[in-house]
Amino acid sequence: MTARCIALLIAGLSCLPCVVHGQESFDYYISNSGNDNYSGTLPVLPKKTIAAASQYFLNCFSKNGRVRVGLQGSDLFKENLTTSYPIQVGTYTVSGAASNFATLDGSQAFESGWVKDSVFSNIFEQDIPYSGFKGYGIGGIGSYSYIYVTEIDRELEKTAPITARKPLQFVASIDAADATAGSFYSPVNTTENPKHVYVHASDGSSLNNNAKYRYEVTVRDWAINSTYQPDNVFENLWVRGFGAGIGMLP
């Protein structure tokens, strides 16, 4: 998908996997099984993290007039990227692996540390540290982007990982959260970090090591911010858990 203005709410060589022939080539390859000491310029020598590779992207663009980044399909990347130049991001696969979307995830698991509120009957609360939520189109929490809470059904996640994820209802006050199972409240404030979050679980029980659900909270603003850069291309990416939004990028 081409976008002219988009902020995405989006070992030894003998042991390394073979890349499926005939697929698109990239300037840099990134894989959960990679190594940040690798060059990243070959699919058999991928970088492990976007952060380690991103320092080379601008040089590549300046030299070639483009930079194309491949994320290994089915991998999960808990990172984000901001560029001042156009970028093309897609996926690549290795032999024997299904050709699936790569996922960019802006959330973090919080399965402990929740404290029962002493005043309200059903509220568990915690301070959540976050990064970002600034720059063009955001300007802080509550201006386009929000911190939100996702409740994941542990059993359903084994067979239907997307369906298992339920963003909790964002209500307007602590009182409303206390009265509404499966909801949360956090003051809209552009300066407070960490952010205090109040949650009422769907089953009304504690969020700490809950037997039925686990919980993730947004800690990053957007997946890829390349706003106002012409000729951006994003393909086969799934974005979730970011303040700027979630969804499928075809």
Side-chain angles (χ1 to χ4, degrees), residues 28-61:
Y28 290 95
Y29 298 83
I30 307 173
S31 167
N32 291 169
S33 59
N35 188 314
D36 283 339
N37 291 320
Y38 291 164
S39 68
T41 55
L42 295 172
V44 293
L45 293 172
K47 294 280 189 185
K48 184 177 181 65
T49 64
I50 296 171
S54 63
Q55 59 186 307
Y56 303 104
F57 295 165
L58 179 56
N59 290 338
C60 180
F61 176 77

Side-chain angles (χ1 to χ4, degrees), residues 2 8-9 16 25 28 32-33 41 45 56 73 89 98 110 117 132-133 148 153 157 167 172 176 187-188 231 248:
T2 301
L8 298 183
L9 296 168
L16 292 170
S25 62
Y28 290 95
N32 291 169
S33 59
T41 55
L45 293 172
Y56 303 104
V89 185
F110 289 89
D117 189 273
F133 290 90
Y148 61 93
D153 187 303
E157 187 177 28
V188 176
D231 303 319
M248 180 174 61

Side-chain angles (χ1 to χ4, degrees), residues 171-184:
V171 295
S173 66
I174 306 176
D175 297 86
D178 191 48
T180 309
S183 71
F184 78 100

